[in-house]
Amino acid sequence: MRIEQDLKLDFKDVLIRPKRSTLTSRSEVDISREFVFLHSKQKYKGIPIIAANMDTTGTFAMARALAKHQLSVALHKHYDDAELLAFFADQPEFPPSFYSMGITQPDYDKFRRIMEQSNGTIKSVCVDVANGYTKAFISFIHKLRAGHPDITIMAGNVVTGEMTEELILDGVDIVKVGIGPGSVCTTRRMSGVGYPQLSAIIECADAAHGLHGLICADGGCTSPGDLAKAFGAGADFVMLGGMLAGHDECGSDIIEVNGVKKMRFYGMSSREAMEKYAGGVAAHRAAEGKEVLLDYRGPVEGTLQDILGGVRSACTYVGARKLKELSKCTTFIRVSQQLNEVFGSV
């Protein structure tokens, strides 16, 4: 047993300190990014925000809505072959939609089948597991990279610098960072495992950038200010689930509760998801997600305006004319626990 004494922070623990700026309007801020991925050598241009690969957010409808604003989607992995082939046949070059997969043999067989039938249309893949520290996960990354050297691989999840470095050296272009911070994830409560998300981003970004790799902060953002903090901490991409849930573009029915329209939102390791796709929770495991009912929020367009406007606003407060400058301009101020209790998440 070992206890680490170093300070670790979450989004709620900090604010971004304002600085002198020559910017006179949010319209002057460019929040798009351009990357050349380390291993695939593919070029990316867009706003580096990705809808999470949950069946309530990683939908075709969400992909089409977000593409209008140069945002991306990691599609959920439960679409069938025909649906995926039809979607990727019409997929524009930028920004990319990520094909999502697990690490089982059926996952790999399905991916190979679709790649063969589409003549290699899929350019970006999200390999998603709850625990990115297993030997099986690393072995799968080796196999995927060896078989498909030209695809962009986003993979995770991990929360430490050393594992981020290993994944990049093993062929991952974008390391997905976050264990347990999501609003419908119960991993921390069920297993006691996790890491404060802001510190995870800072440490994993530092490790990745030293090897010319990238990270995607996955989970924990509940407001546009949290995205600004994630980008300020060094995240190259930010993945959103709950902030994009409850909209028309989500794969969920609208229900009425006491006269109020609601939509279901649940984690992909929840009992609800496992009953839907696996016939229930296996005897050897426990559910590590939950279901909530969110207020119906209509089209996602209004939420996107809030998100993008909030990030632009953060840039004006610190003098960052481009999103890529935000981390260099960011100074975090710790917020006391007493203030957190009084004012809540900031």
Side-chain angles (χ1 to χ4, degrees):
M1 186 273 292
R2 177 187 174 197
I3 299 177
E4 291 190 9
Q5 301 287 352
D6 295 343
L7 177 70
K8 304 298 179 184
L9 299 168
D10 230 324
F11 293 129
K12 70 180 185 300
D13 298 320
V14 300
L15 290 170
I16 297 172
R17 190 182 76 182
K19 297 179 180 178
R20 287 177 62 88
S21 172
T22 60
L23 294 166
T24 59
S25 170
R26 292 169 178 82
S27 64
E28 298 176 35
V29 177
D30 179 7
I31 57 172
S32 66
R33 293 295 309 269
E34 294 185 30
F35 300 112
V36 177
F37 296 120
L38 177 64
H39 299 288
S40 71
K41 305 305 179 185
Q42 291 185 36
K43 295 180 180 180
Y44 168 91
K45 183 177 181 181
I47 296 175
I49 297 172
I50 305 172
N53 54 313
M54 310 167 81
D55 68 358
T56 47
T57 54
T59 66
F60 295 148
M62 186 68 74
R64 295 184 181 101
L66 266 57
K68 298 175 184 177
H69 299 270
Q70 295 186 290
L71 279 65
S72 303
V73 167
L75 299 168
H76 70 76
K77 69 176 186 177
H78 300 290
Y79 284 119
D80 63 32
D81 293 25
E83 292 172 313
L84 289 164
L85 286 167
F87 175 81
F88 280 105
D90 295 329
Q91 171 70 11
E93 185 177 2
F94 296 112
S97 290
F98 289 81
Y99 174 97
S100 296
M101 62 194 302
I103 61 172
T104 66
Q105 189 61 44
D107 286 323
Y108 190 65
D109 291 342
K110 179 180 178 181
F111 173 67
R112 289 184 60 188
R113 190 167 62 243
I114 293 173
M115 285 290 279
E116 290 171 0
Q117 294 178 29
S118 67
N119 295 317
T121 299
I122 298 171
K123 303 297 182 184
S124 303
V125 172
C126 173
V127 183
D128 183 54
V129 297
N131 180 3
Y133 290 81
T134 66
K135 182 178 179 181
F137 176 61
I138 298 299
S139 297
F140 185 86
I141 294 299
H142 290 165
K143 179 171 69 172
L144 182 62
R145 175 54 72 198
H148 304 275
D150 299 328
I151 64 169
T152 297
I153 299 176
M154 176 168 63
N157 283 27
V158 300
V159 290
T160 52
E162 62 269 20
M163 200 64 202
T164 298
E165 291 172 341
E166 179 169 344
L167 288 174
I168 290 170
L169 293 172
D170 287 337
V172 174
D173 297 290
I174 310 166
V175 177
K176 205 145 67 78
V177 174
I179 292 180
S183 60
V184 288
C185 179
T186 60
T187 294
R188 294 177 180 180
R189 179 167 64 85
M190 294 300 295
S191 70
V193 176
Y195 208 95
Q197 184 69 346
L198 185 71
S199 288
I201 293 168
I202 292 170
E203 294 168 26
C204 292
D206 181 61
H209 297 163
L211 295 173
H212 306 291
L214 305 172
I215 71 161
C216 176
D218 177 18
C221 290
T222 61
S223 66
D226 289 341
L227 275 84
K229 293 173 187 178
F231 285 125
D236 304 291
F237 293 83
V238 174
M239 181 171 280
L240 301 178
M243 286 186 69
L244 296 176
H247 295 95
D248 291 336
E249 295 80 4
C250 299
S252 180
D253 295 330
I254 299 173
I255 60 175
E256 281 202 14
V257 179
N258 297 324
V260 178
K261 291 182 178 181
K262 301 279 187 176
M263 293 185 77
R264 298 171 66 203
F265 178 54
Y266 48 83
M268 296 310 290
S269 291
S270 65
R271 181 176 299 277
E272 291 76 13
M274 286 188 278
E275 287 177 349
K276 184 175 182 179
Y277 296 113
V281 181
H284 63 276
R285 64 175 299 176
E288 293 184 23
K290 63 182 180 180
E291 180 187 48
V292 297
L293 288 177
L294 302 177
D295 288 343
Y296 167 63
R297 302 163 70 188
V300 76
E301 190 76 21
T303 296
L304 292 179
Q305 183 174 351
D306 287 344
I307 291 171
L308 302 181
V311 175
R312 289 191 185 96
S313 184
C315 290
T316 65
Y317 273 107
V318 299
R321 194 170 294 273
K322 296 183 178 182
L323 182 61
K324 70 177 182 179
E325 299 171 359
L326 182 56
S327 63
K328 298 177 182 178
C329 298
T330 294
T331 299
F332 287 120
I333 304 299
R334 285 185 60 197
V335 179
S336 72
Q337 184 61 38
Q338 182 178 1
L339 287 177
N340 274 334
E341 292 172 356
V342 173
F343 296 109
S345 180
V346 293

